[in-house]
């Protein structure tokens, strides 16, 4: 009996994360939909799976990437390949195995069909898969190429070639270049105006010639007191009336 191949379509940018973890993980979409038992989705379609579309923003507008050529241009196009076995269930059985809400299950099929996909080609498993047990292919100029060499090592030249032609890679390099080489008109920041204020502060002038020390009002009052010039008590003692006519 001929083996049935299953394909998980993704981007090269996401493939980097898959390499980092060493495995293909459960669908984040299923988790966001709060499916009790989220799945990892594959398709029997060997050309392309339209339900794998991605929402993308190029900095000017937001749009869907629906075709492998669009993936290739903006985020790179890749797929992981395995054989159909007992670990997988059909889309129809997924409804019961995952305990997904019926409306969620129906909506998944509805969205897939609207993009040109056929849910009858969908298969899901409920555990992550180790990439050592998967074939990895990249889409390059209309064809799929195996990224793994015969000895099991990755073809880094093929991978880098497809990564470096993507929009996100080129944009990243542009931003990196701007950070490393700042515009010359911003170099003048080394001479701020604040330095001039520190050299000649107005506070120093006030301390050298204070107005208060030149003419204090308090000193004038102490030099000429009115009380000491004409005391009334002295006049009474000089001419007493009692001594002139004693009885």
């Amino acid at each position: 009996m001929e083996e049935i191949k299953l394909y998980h379509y993704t981007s090269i940018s996401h493939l980097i994360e898959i390499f980092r973890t060493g495995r293909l993980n459960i669908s984040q979409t299923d988790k966001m939909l709060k499916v009790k038992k989220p799945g990892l989705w594959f398709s029997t379609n060997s050309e392309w799976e339209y339900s794998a579309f991605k929402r993308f923003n190029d900095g000017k507008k937001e749009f869907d990437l629906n075709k492998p050529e669009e993936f290739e241009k903006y985020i790179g196009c890749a797929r992981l390949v395995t054989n159909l076995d007992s670990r997988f269930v059909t889309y129809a059985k997924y409804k019961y195995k995952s305990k997904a809400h019926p409306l969620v299950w129906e909506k998944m099929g509805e969205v897939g069909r609207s993009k040109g996909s056929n849910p009858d080609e969908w298969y899901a498993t409920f555990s992550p898969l180790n990439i050592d047990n998967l074939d990895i292919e990249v889409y390059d100029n209309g064809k799929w190429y195996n990224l793994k060499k015969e000895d099991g090592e990755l073809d880094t030249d093929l991978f880098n070639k497809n990564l470096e032609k993507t929009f996100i890679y080129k944009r990243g390099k542009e931003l990196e270049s701007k950070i490393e080489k700042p515009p010359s008109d911003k170099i003048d920041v080394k001479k701020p105006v604040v330095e001039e204020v520190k050299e000649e502060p107005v506070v120093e002038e006030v301390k050298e010639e204070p107005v208060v020390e030149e003419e204090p009002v308090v000193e004038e009052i102490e030099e000429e007191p009115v009380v000491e010039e004409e005391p009334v008590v002295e006049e009474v003692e000089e001419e007493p009336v009692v001594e002139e006519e004693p009885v």
Side-chain angles (χ1 to χ4, degrees), residues 212-226:
V212 175
E213 293 184 357
E214 291 180 357
E215 296 180 17
V217 179
V218 176
E219 292 297 322
E220 294 179 359
I221 294 172
E222 291 182 355
E223 289 176 2
E224 298 180 16
V226 178

Side-chain angles (χ1 to χ4, degrees), residues 41 88-95 97 105 119-120 122-124:
W41 290 94
F88 295 89
V89 298
T90 63
Y91 166 69
K93 290 183 178 179
Y94 168 84
K95 177 181 180 180
K97 291 284 186 179
W105 178 81
D120 292 338
W122 298 354
Y123 286 83

Side-chain angles (χ1 to χ4, degrees), residues 101-207:
H101 192 284
L103 293 178
V104 172
W105 178 81
E106 290 175 6
K107 190 65 177 179
M108 290 170 65
E110 181 182 326
V111 172
R113 293 185 191 94
S114 70
K115 289 293 183 179
S117 182
N118 180 4
D120 292 338
E121 297 174 341
W122 298 354
Y123 286 83
T125 184
F126 300 101
S127 299
L129 299 181
N130 192 307
I131 61 171
D132 291 338
N133 302 322
L134 302 172
D135 287 330
I136 305 171
E137 299 177 351
V138 293
Y139 187 84
D140 186 15
N141 294 322
K143 294 182 180 180
W144 290 99
Y145 295 91
N146 199 329
L147 197 59
K148 282 186 176 180
K149 299 179 181 179
E150 293 182 359
D151 58 2
E153 294 294 321
L154 293 177
D155 188 338
T156 55
D157 291 337
L158 178 61
F159 177 83
N160 290 334
K161 171 191 171 185
N162 282 273
L163 174 64
E164 291 170 7
K165 69 182 180 181
T166 62
F167 174 89
I168 57 170
Y169 180 86
K170 293 175 182 177
R171 175 58 62 87
K173 283 296 181 181
E174 288 176 6
L175 295 175
E176 186 179 301
S177 177
K178 289 179 181 179
I179 293 172
E180 291 177 353
K181 298 178 181 180
S184 57
D185 58 346
K186 292 185 179 180
I187 298 176
D188 292 338
V189 176
K190 293 181 180 179
K191 296 181 180 180
V193 180
V194 177
E195 292 298 322
E196 297 178 1
V197 175
K198 289 182 178 179
E199 290 176 2
E200 298 180 16
V202 179
V203 176
E204 293 297 323
E205 295 178 0
V206 174
K207 287 183 178 179

